[in-house]
Amino acid sequence: NLSLITTAPSVVYRVNCIDGETVECSNPSLLPEPGKRRSIEEPFVKIELLTPKEYIGALMELAQDRRGIFKEMKYITENRASIIYELPLAEMVGDFFDQLKSRSKGYASMEYSFIGYTESDLIKLDILINGDRVEPLAT
C-alpha cells in the first residue's frame, strides 16, 4: 500500500541572466523567462568506453546520438579499444549505461569524470494537455 513517485534523473544547469545574476536550475519550472536569459550552461563529462573492437561502431553511434564530441580512440590490445568522448551529463544519466551494455552484449564498460560546465543552445520544452501547461512534464 505504498504510493510511489518516479522521476527521471536530472542535472543542474547554470543560467546566466542579462542582469549578471547566475541561477542554478535543477527543474525546468525554475528556468528564468527567455527574455531574462543570456546563456545556459550544462554539465559535461569526459567518458571513456572500453570495448571489444566489434562493438566500436555501435558505441560511437550511441555517443554521437547523445550529442557526444569525439576526442580519441586507441587500441589497448589487438581486440580491445578505448574510445573517449565528451558529452552532456544529462545525456548520460538516463539509459546510457543500459544502452552501452545492450549494444555490446554486456562486454563494454565505461568510466566518466566531470569536466565542467559548457555553454549550450538549449530551450525549455513545455507539454500542454488540453491547452494547459503541465509543469512536471516540462524538460
Side-chain angles (χ1 to χ4, degrees):
N1 292 329
L2 295 176
S3 297
L4 298 178
I5 299 173
T6 59
T7 60
S10 64
V11 298
V12 176
Y13 295 87
R14 285 186 187 159
V15 181
N16 300 308
C17 299
I18 292 174
D19 64 5
E21 182 183 7
T22 298
V23 178
E24 292 192 343
C25 295
S26 59
N27 186 320
S29 65
L30 302 174
L31 196 65
E33 292 301 315
K36 296 181 180 179
R37 301 189 300 244
R38 188 176 72 241
S39 64
I40 301 176
E41 299 175 359
E42 64 181 324
F44 263 69
V45 295
K46 176 182 175 184
I47 185 167
E48 181 177 15
L49 309 173
L50 301 167
T51 181
K53 69 179 183 180
E54 56 265 27
Y55 304 113
I56 290 172
L59 297 187
M60 289 182 80
E61 180 182 38
L62 170 64
Q64 287 166 198
D65 287 348
R66 303 296 175 95
R67 298 187 292 139
I69 302 163
F70 177 77
K71 291 298 178 182
E72 179 183 3
M73 182 173 79
K74 59 187 171 196
Y75 281 88
I76 301 166
T77 67
E78 187 177 315
N79 296 318
R80 288 192 64 77
S82 164
I83 311 167
I84 297 175
Y85 275 88
E86 290 179 359
L87 73 150
L89 179 60
E91 297 287 350
M92 200 199 70
V93 296
D95 68 339
F96 189 90
F97 185 74
D98 293 337
Q99 284 293 316
L100 173 86
K101 289 299 187 178
S102 176
R103 293 178 188 215
S104 69
K105 298 185 174 122
Y107 288 106
S109 62
M110 66 177 230
E111 64 177 282
Y112 68 95
S113 59
F114 176 74
I115 56 173
Y117 279 81
T118 301
E119 187 173 320
S120 298
D121 186 18
L122 302 172
I123 60 168
K124 177 182 175 186
L125 175 65
D126 286 318
I127 304 296
L128 304 178
I129 296 179
N130 201 24
D132 295 327
R133 186 183 331 203
V134 182
E135 282 296 332
L137 299 179
T139 59

